[in-house]
Amino acid sequence: NWSQKWEYRLSSDKVENIAATASLAVQQQEGDSSVSSIAQTLVYDTRDDKLSTRRGNLARHSVTFAGIGGSVRYLKNILTGTTYLPVSDKVVSSLRLAGGHLLPIGDEARIIDRFMLGGRFLRGFQNAGVGPRDRASKDAVGGEWYYTASAQLQFPIGLPNEFQVKGRAFSDLGSIGKTDTSVGIIDDLSSLRASVGIGFSWQSPVGPFTIDFTKALLKESFDQTESIRFDLGTRF
């Protein structure tokens, strides 16, 4: 049930050709940087089936330290956990919790190292649609912490089992905040966001395909929302 992975990463990044209309925080990212990091991921998995889970738990903790050489230094922790429980022979409930924290060491954290929130982990909001955002340019600049919670019911919709199509109803909530960006005017309200929705999932030959219809219930005026989302190769 337990597994562990260690990883070393060495990369060189170059940011250039930034539009003059971009956020000052984005323009500040221009230049060269290098990352030398080590990471470990610990996984606990008791699911009865990895594709059509009905019962079990999946927990994952990863920690990354960047600063073994290179120009970027930070410590990042991410913790996720999902539990599955059958309600009946054909209905399965699931609850997913997740959170992360980024601790910059020395300089400000790069935007690409910060967390972005939205999309499939906070449905009803666009990718990077939630969180610190430049008031003038509307660019997302990311946050140093986040948390999410998702509750879901999966159920049959009356089609034969061989079609592998199921319905689902869900509710997501979460928040993200704190940016150390020192330029521009940043809207950074660490308030709770929430959404509800229904959707359909299909175990296609090329991977899981989902379509969700969502409504954001709690949001800020500067958040970017969406009412329909398609995903291929992703799952709850």
Side-chain angles (χ1 to χ4, degrees):
N1 296 334
W2 291 92
S3 64
Q4 188 174 41
K5 178 179 72 173
W6 288 86
E7 176 182 304
Y8 173 75
R9 174 190 176 202
L10 178 64
S11 67
S12 177
D13 306 313
K14 185 174 185 177
V15 179
E16 59 184 350
N17 299 324
I18 299 176
T21 56
S23 165
L24 292 176
V26 175
Q27 295 183 37
Q28 194 181 47
Q29 306 296 299
E30 190 168 20
D32 298 318
S33 60
S34 59
V35 178
S36 176
S37 65
I38 188 170
Q40 74 85 30
T41 302
L42 184 65
V43 178
Y44 176 69
D45 190 352
T46 62
R47 293 174 295 172
D48 57 350
D49 188 299
K50 288 179 171 54
L51 292 178
S52 300
T53 308
R54 288 181 45 80
R55 185 187 299 274
N57 302 287
L58 174 63
R60 179 181 286 107
H61 173 242
S62 67
V63 57
T64 303
F65 172 70
I68 309 173
S71 61
V72 176
R73 295 173 58 84
Y74 63 79
L75 181 66
K76 178 184 285 188
N77 278 274
I78 300 175
L79 181 64
T80 63
T82 307
T83 184
Y84 300 86
L85 184 66
V87 177
S88 67
D89 290 341
K90 297 182 178 180
V91 179
V92 178
S93 65
S94 52
L95 175 66
R96 181 182 188 275
L97 303 174
H101 181 261
L102 171 69
L103 176 64
I105 301 174
D107 298 334
E108 295 180 0
R110 302 182 303 173
I111 290 178
I112 60 174
D113 295 325
R114 298 175 190 152
F115 298 108
M116 299 288 177
L117 190 56
R120 62 191 177 101
F121 294 125
L122 188 57
R123 291 164 287 192
F125 298 88
Q126 297 179 20
N127 291 328
V130 174
R133 189 176 303 279
D134 188 284
R135 184 174 299 177
S137 68
K138 310 303 181 186
D139 291 324
V141 297
E144 294 179 8
W145 60 262
Y146 83 97
Y147 67 84
T148 61
S150 301
Q152 180 170 287
L153 279 178
Q154 183 172 272
F155 48 84
I157 59 173
L159 294 176
N161 290 334
E162 54 265 29
F163 284 93
Q164 293 292 301
V165 178
K166 297 179 181 179
R168 56 187 187 173
F170 57 84
S171 178
D172 296 348
L173 60 84
S175 185
I176 182 172
K178 192 179 185 303
T179 178
D180 56 4
T181 297
S182 58
V183 294
I185 301 176
I186 307 298
D187 288 317
D188 184 11
L189 297 177
S190 306
S191 56
L192 181 67
R193 276 77 157 186
S195 64
V196 295
I198 59 172
F200 303 93
S201 61
W202 172 41
Q203 291 290 344
S204 74
V206 295
F209 174 81
T210 61
I211 177 172
D212 294 317
F213 303 91
T214 59
K215 180 176 178 57
L217 299 180
L218 297 177
K219 60 182 180 179
E220 295 296 337
S221 60
F222 52 86
D223 291 337
Q224 297 179 355
T225 61
E226 63 183 13
S227 56
I228 301 177
R229 181 171 186 83
F230 299 90
D231 269 313
L232 179 64
T234 60
R235 64 192 307 276
F236 178 72

